[in-house]
């Protein structure tokens, strides 16, 4: 692939060859009896137009190098702060194989969504069997057109709602669907959660995937890391690399009428972590790459919930907040959702009640979590959660039937 550097070398070589031929012809006799003096006059006439042409070529080359430098500088400012170089995503894993998060996700074409689950996967992730459908979210295939009489619920969240560490049929959304349908209702629940999502990404998932299914109710789950960067972000595009021509990529995107690089042209890298706690991803908008400043911090959370509220009014669906009392930001969020008229359910209350009833000091020390330092809900924890959500929906009249929704485990 030609680059500005190779163009410069070729132009210099051609200019030297032209000068060499001119001197040779000036010193040798010409044809048809013409002497070297007459021949040199011919060379001078030809150089009268060759000189300006070379200047034009030099100007074009200089302009190209300047535009290339500007595009590289813009990319540097946009992606500044990414800690690790981009890496190619691994190929789709074989069915039934054990995978890590990098095998489970792919880059999203939407900047604010960043990444999404890979479609059509049957794999084992964190000891739980995970199936994704053709629309790249966990669970069975769903028809986009909503059947008559069906009540649709969309779940938005991160690894807790996704069901990290449990099988497909053990997540609290899958259990909630069975619980509601057992009462004679017709209910479909779509699980759009993905590990590492924050509040802004969850609302983006609803916009780009969930709204087409015409939900009647949206459940959004909040945890303390909803203010942070997701697990992965787009990587540094390599502004110092001489193997990549930014101007060529820019022109190709313009011809294709795309404003930004496609996800296949940009790698993923682990997100920057906090300086004061390496276990957490960065949440300070000033400290994250420019591209992601609108995704982190309290301002991003507030903007996401206000946008969700506006979508609910325009699209005629209800919203319920599920939370776990995991951070001080939760108090601010609860004040916000009260202003917006969004009902909230504290899931830690039902978890603590179960733990105390069975002799445990807290739900985090009980069989409700996976254990060994992993506080993700276990299969039992998801059952307790589904029961609490079903009861809440019945008490608030948020589901078109209320008979027996609380149930027993």
């Amino acid at each position: 692939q030609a680059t500005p550097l190779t163009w410069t070398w070729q132009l210099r070589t051609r200019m030297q060859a032209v000068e060499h031929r001119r001197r040779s012809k000036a010193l040798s006799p010409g044809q048809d009896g013409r002497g070297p003096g007459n021949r040199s006059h011919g060379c001078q006439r030809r150089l009268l137009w060759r000189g300006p042409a070379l200047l034009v070529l030099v100007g074009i080359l200089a302009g190209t190098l300047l535009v290339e430098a500007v595009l590289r500088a813009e990319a540097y400012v946009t992606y500044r702060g990414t800690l690790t170089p981009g890496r190619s995503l691994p190929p789709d894993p074989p069915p039934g194989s054990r995978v890590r998060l990098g095998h489970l996700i792919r880059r999203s074409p939407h900047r604010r969504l960043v990444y999404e689950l890979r479609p059509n996967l049957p794999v084992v992730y964190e000891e739980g069997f995970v199936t994704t459908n053709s629309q790249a979210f966990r669970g069975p295939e769903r028809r986009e057109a909503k059947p008559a009489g069906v009540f649709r619920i969309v779940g938005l969240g991160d690894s807790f709602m996704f069901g990290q560490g449990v099988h497909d049929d053990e997540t609290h959304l899958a259990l909630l669907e069975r619980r509601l349908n057992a009462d004679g209702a017709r209910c479909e629940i779509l699980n759009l959660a993905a590990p590492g999502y924050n509040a802004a990404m969850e609302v983006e998932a609803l916009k780009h995937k969930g709204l087409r299914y015409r939900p009647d109710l949206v459940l959004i789950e909040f945890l303390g890391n909803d203010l942070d960067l997701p697990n992965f972000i787009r990587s540094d595009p390599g502004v110092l690399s001489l193997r990549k021509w930014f101007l060529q990529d820019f022109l190709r995107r313009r011809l294709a009428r795309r404003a930004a690089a496609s996800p296949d042209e940009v790698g993923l890298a682990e997100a920057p972590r906090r300086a004061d706690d390496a276990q957490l991803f960065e949440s300070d908008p000033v400290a994250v790459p420019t591209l992601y400043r609108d995704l982190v911090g309290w301002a991003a959370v507030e903007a996401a919930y206000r946008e969700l509220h506006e979508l609910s009014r325009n699209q005629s669906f209800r919203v319920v907040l599920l939370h776990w009392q995991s951070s001080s930001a939760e108090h601010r969020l609860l004040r916000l959702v009260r202003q917006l008229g969004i009902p909230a359910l504290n899931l830690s209350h039902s978890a603590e009640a179960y733990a105390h009833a069975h002799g445990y000091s807290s739900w985090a020390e009980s069989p409700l979590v996976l254990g060994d330092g992993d506080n993700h809900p276990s299969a039992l924890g998801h059952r307790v959660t589904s029961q609490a959500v079903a009861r809440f929906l019945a008490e608030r009249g948020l589901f078109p039937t209320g008979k027996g929704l609380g149930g027993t485990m």
Side-chain angles (χ1 to χ4, degrees):
Q1 178 180 335
T3 67
L5 293 178
T6 58
W7 284 5
T8 304
W9 179 261
Q10 292 172 358
L11 180 58
R12 179 184 175 187
T13 303
R14 290 178 182 175
M15 292 177 68
Q16 289 175 343
V18 169
E19 179 64 19
H20 178 73
R21 287 196 298 271
R22 186 188 69 79
R23 291 182 180 179
S24 298
K25 292 176 181 179
L27 295 175
S28 61
Q31 297 177 355
D32 301 326
R34 295 178 182 176
N38 292 332
R39 189 62 176 266
S40 66
H41 286 301
C43 289
Q44 291 175 359
R45 285 194 299 270
R46 284 192 293 271
L47 286 175
L48 288 177
W49 66 267
R50 286 184 179 176
L54 290 176
L55 289 176
V56 170
L57 289 176
V58 171
I60 292 174
L61 178 60
T64 300
L65 291 174
L66 179 61
V67 173
E68 176 74 9
V70 170
L71 291 174
R72 287 174 181 260
E74 180 187 30
Y76 172 76
V77 172
T78 300
Y79 289 89
R80 181 173 52 198
T82 301
L83 297 183
T84 56
R87 58 176 180 267
S88 299
L89 291 176
D92 286 345
S97 60
R98 294 179 178 271
V99 301
R100 303 182 68 178
L101 182 56
H103 296 85
L104 196 64
I105 63 173
R106 66 179 182 181
R107 293 175 295 259
S108 169
H110 308 292
R111 178 188 69 83
R112 287 169 55 83
L113 190 54
V114 189
Y115 62 81
E116 61 188 1
L117 301 179
R118 297 191 189 201
N120 304 314
L121 287 184
V123 294
V124 177
Y125 171 64
E126 297 290 344
E127 305 303 322
F129 190 79
V130 174
T131 303
T132 62
N133 58 29
S134 62
Q135 298 302 310
F137 56 86
R138 188 173 190 178
E141 291 291 336
R142 300 293 191 185
R143 293 170 49 193
E144 187 170 322
K146 183 167 63 174
V150 168
F151 189 87
R152 270 190 174 160
I153 301 175
V154 167
L156 307 174
D158 59 6
S159 53
F160 270 53
M161 181 173 280
F162 169 81
Q164 182 168 309
V166 301
H167 303 315
D168 290 329
D169 59 353
E170 294 176 331
T171 70
H172 70 78
L173 292 182
L175 295 170
L176 179 63
E177 179 177 300
R178 292 204 300 271
R179 188 183 297 274
L180 297 179
N181 286 332
D183 191 54
R186 297 182 62 194
C187 176
E188 291 180 354
I189 300 184
L190 285 64
N191 187 348
L192 301 190
Y197 273 15
N198 60 25
M201 295 169 68
E202 290 161 7
V203 175
E204 290 298 308
L206 174 67
K207 290 161 56 180
H208 295 297
K209 295 184 178 184
L211 291 181
R212 71 183 68 165
Y213 291 93
R214 296 174 57 202
D216 299 289
L217 177 67
V218 169
L219 304 176
I220 184 168
E221 195 166 34
F222 181 86
L223 291 163
N225 60 1
D226 276 5
L227 286 75
D228 304 350
L229 282 172
N231 292 31
F232 294 97
I233 60 175
R234 293 187 181 189
S235 64
D236 187 337
V239 294
L240 299 179
S241 173
L242 297 180
R243 296 183 178 182
K244 183 177 182 180
W245 189 12
F246 281 59
L247 179 57
Q248 183 183 50
D249 294 341
F250 174 79
L251 294 175
R252 187 170 64 246
R253 292 197 301 270
R254 286 297 182 183
L255 290 174
R257 297 184 179 180
R258 288 190 287 113
S262 75
D264 292 333
E265 295 167 351
V266 181
L268 287 177
E270 186 177 277
R273 294 182 180 271
R274 298 185 189 178
D276 58 344
D277 189 347
Q279 298 297 317
L280 301 175
F281 292 108
E282 187 58 71
S283 61
D284 183 357
V286 177
V288 306
T290 306
L291 193 65
Y292 300 104
R293 288 181 178 174
D294 60 344
L295 295 184
V296 301
W298 169 251
V301 172
E302 181 176 2
Y305 275 81
R306 289 190 181 279
E307 183 176 18
L308 176 60
H309 174 64
E310 191 63 27
L311 288 171
S312 71
R313 296 178 60 184
N314 294 336
Q315 303 287 333
S316 300
F317 60 81
R318 301 289 301 276
V319 179
V320 170
L321 169 67
L322 308 177
H323 63 103
W324 286 88
Q325 276 189 343
S326 57
S327 73
S328 57
E330 213 152 325
H331 299 295
R332 299 179 68 179
L333 180 62
L334 290 175
R335 288 196 297 269
L336 173 63
V337 297
R338 279 196 293 268
Q339 294 173 6
L340 300 176
I342 297 175
L345 170 62
N346 188 335
L347 296 174
S348 63
H349 289 169
S350 58
E352 291 291 357
Y354 179 93
H356 294 156
H358 291 79
Y360 297 97
S361 59
S362 71
W363 66 272
E365 303 295 331
S366 75
L368 295 176
V369 299
L370 295 176
D372 294 329
D374 189 343
N375 282 340
H376 285 93
S378 63
L380 175 60
H382 280 277
R383 290 204 301 272
V384 171
T385 297
S386 71
Q387 182 182 5
V389 175
R391 185 184 300 112
F392 184 83
L393 296 182
E395 292 171 351
R396 295 299 184 95
L398 295 169
F399 191 73
T401 182
K403 179 182 175 182
L405 287 183
T408 57
M409 292 182 296

